[in-house]
C-alpha cells in the first residue's frame, strides 16, 4: 500500500459522524510563511456539512492584512469562522493540481501561483503514527488536543500550535490533523511578483486561537466548528 501524500490526498473523503458541530474533511497547508512577511495557507475540503466542498487560499501580506479566497461563497467557507480577522473575503477560481507523489501547484484566478513540494521528518512520522492509533474519543477531547498542541509546537519547530479554541468569529473549533508532512519547498508569485524564500514571520500570526505555523506544514484530517 502506498502512503505518499498524493495517493492519500486523492482518496475519497467522507464527513465524520455528526456530533452537533459543523464538520469538514480533506487536506491543506496549515500555513507557509515567507521571509518577506507574506504567508499563504490552503484548505481543500471536498466534504463539508454546510454546503458544497470547496478550496480556500488564505493570504497574509507583510502589513499583516489577510485575504481569504474561496471557490464557494464566503459564508459557506473559511470566512464563516475567520472573516472578522480579514481585510477581505471573496470568491475565486481556485485549482489544486498534483504534479507528483509529493508536489502540487495551487492557482487563484490569474493572480496567484504557488508551487509546493512535501517531505517527511521524524516528528511528522511520529505524529502521523500516533494519529492512526488514537481512538475517536481522544480526538474529541479538548484536553488531549491541548496537550498535543503543546507537544507538537516544539517537536515540529512551528511555534505555538492551537488545535482547539475559539475561531476569530467566536465559534469553538477543534482540529484533528491525522497525518502530517513538512513543506520542503514553497515558491509563490502574486501578480507576477515572487514572494521570496520561505522563512518564519517576525511575530507568529494567528486568527483567534488558530495559530499559523512558523514553517510550512501539510495535513490530512478534519475540522469541527460550533454552528
Amino acid at each position: 500500500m502506498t502512503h505518499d501524500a498524493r495517493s492519500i490526498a486523492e482518496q475519497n473523503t467522507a464527513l465524520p459522524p455528526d456530533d452537533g458541530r459543523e464538520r469538514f474533511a480533506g487536506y491543506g497547508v496549515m500555513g507557509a510563511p515567507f521571509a518577506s512577511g507574506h504567508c499563504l495557507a490552503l484548505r481543500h475540503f471536498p466534504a463539508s456539512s454546510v454546503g458544497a466542498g470547496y478550496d480556500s487560499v488564505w493570504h497574509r501580506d507583510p502589513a499583516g492584512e489577510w485575504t481569504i479566497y474561496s471557490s464557494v461563497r464566503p459564508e459557506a467557507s473559511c470566512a464563516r469562522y475567520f472573516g472578522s480577522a480579514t481585510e477581505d473575503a471573496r470568491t475565486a477560481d481556485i485549482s489544486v493540481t498534483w504534479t507528483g507523489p509529493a508536489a502540487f501547484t495551487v492557482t487563484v484566478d490569474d493572480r496567484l501561483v504557488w508551487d509546493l513540494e512535501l517531505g517527511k521528518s521524524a516528528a511528522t512520522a511520529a505524529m502521523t503514527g500516533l494519529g492512526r492509533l488514537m481512538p475517536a474519543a481522544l480526538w474529541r477531547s479538548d484536553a488531549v488536543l491541548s496537550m498535543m498542541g503543546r507537544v507538537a509546537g516544539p517537536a515540529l519547530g512551528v511555534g505555538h500550535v492551537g488545535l482547539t479554541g475559539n475561531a476569530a468569529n467566536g465559534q469553538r473549533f477543534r482540529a484533528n490533523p491525522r497525518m502530517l508532512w513538512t513543506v520542503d519547498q514553497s515558491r509563490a508569485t502574486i501578480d507576477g511578483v515572487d514572494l521570496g524564500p520561505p522563512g518564519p514571520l517576525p511575530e507568529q500570526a494567528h486568527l483567534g486561537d488558530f495559530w499559523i505555523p512558523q514553517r510550512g506544514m501539510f495535513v490530512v484530517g478534519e475540522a469541527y466548528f460550533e454552528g
Side-chain angles (χ1 to χ4, degrees), residues 13-57:
T13 303
L15 278 174
D18 189 353
D19 68 347
R21 298 192 184 199
E22 296 176 350
R23 309 170 322 283
F24 304 87
Y27 64 81
V29 178
M30 302 313 292
F34 294 81
S36 59
H38 288 274
C39 186
L40 294 172
L42 167 72
R43 305 292 182 267
H44 174 81
F45 286 142
S48 164
S49 68
V50 301
Y54 69 91
D55 292 313
S56 181
V57 172

Side-chain angles (χ1 to χ4, degrees), residues 158-179:
V158 298
H160 187 81
V161 174
L163 299 180
T164 185
N166 291 327
N169 290 9
Q171 304 98 328
R172 292 289 298 175
F173 74 86
R174 187 172 72 233
N176 288 178
R178 308 278 184 152
M179 307 182 75

Side-chain angles (χ1 to χ4, degrees), residues 7-177:
S7 298
I8 293 168
E10 291 184 337
Q11 291 176 2
N12 291 332
T13 303
L15 278 174
D18 189 353
D19 68 347
R21 298 192 184 199
E22 296 176 350
R23 309 170 322 283
F24 304 87
Y27 64 81
V29 178
M30 302 313 292
F34 294 81
S36 59
H38 288 274
C39 186
L40 294 172
L42 167 72
R43 305 292 182 267
H44 174 81
F45 286 142
S48 164
S49 68
V50 301
Y54 69 91
D55 292 313
S56 181
V57 172
W58 305 9
H59 171 230
R60 176 196 185 272
D61 67 21
E65 294 183 345
W66 287 91
T67 299
I68 293 181
Y69 302 91
S70 297
S71 59
V72 299
R73 66 190 192 282
E75 58 268 26
S77 63
C78 297
R80 181 181 183 89
Y81 313 103
F82 298 100
S84 64
T86 69
E87 181 70 16
D88 192 16
R90 64 183 77 168
T91 56
D93 183 12
I94 300 173
S95 68
V96 180
T97 304
W98 287 85
T99 57
F104 61 96
T105 297
V106 181
T107 61
V108 179
D109 291 333
D110 297 323
R111 183 163 190 249
L112 186 152
V113 180
W114 185 16
D115 296 311
L116 302 102
E117 291 188 20
L118 310 180
K120 297 179 181 180
S121 69
T124 60
M127 297 194 70
T128 294
L130 175 64
R132 288 172 172 163
L133 294 174
M134 277 178 55
L138 294 185
W139 282 110
R140 294 193 294 268
S141 167
D142 285 353
V144 170
L145 293 178
S146 295
M147 180 189 66
M148 288 178 63
R150 290 193 296 271
V151 172
L156 297 170
V158 298
H160 187 81
V161 174
L163 299 180
T164 185
N166 291 327
N169 290 9
Q171 304 98 328
R172 292 289 298 175
F173 74 86
R174 187 172 72 233
N176 288 178

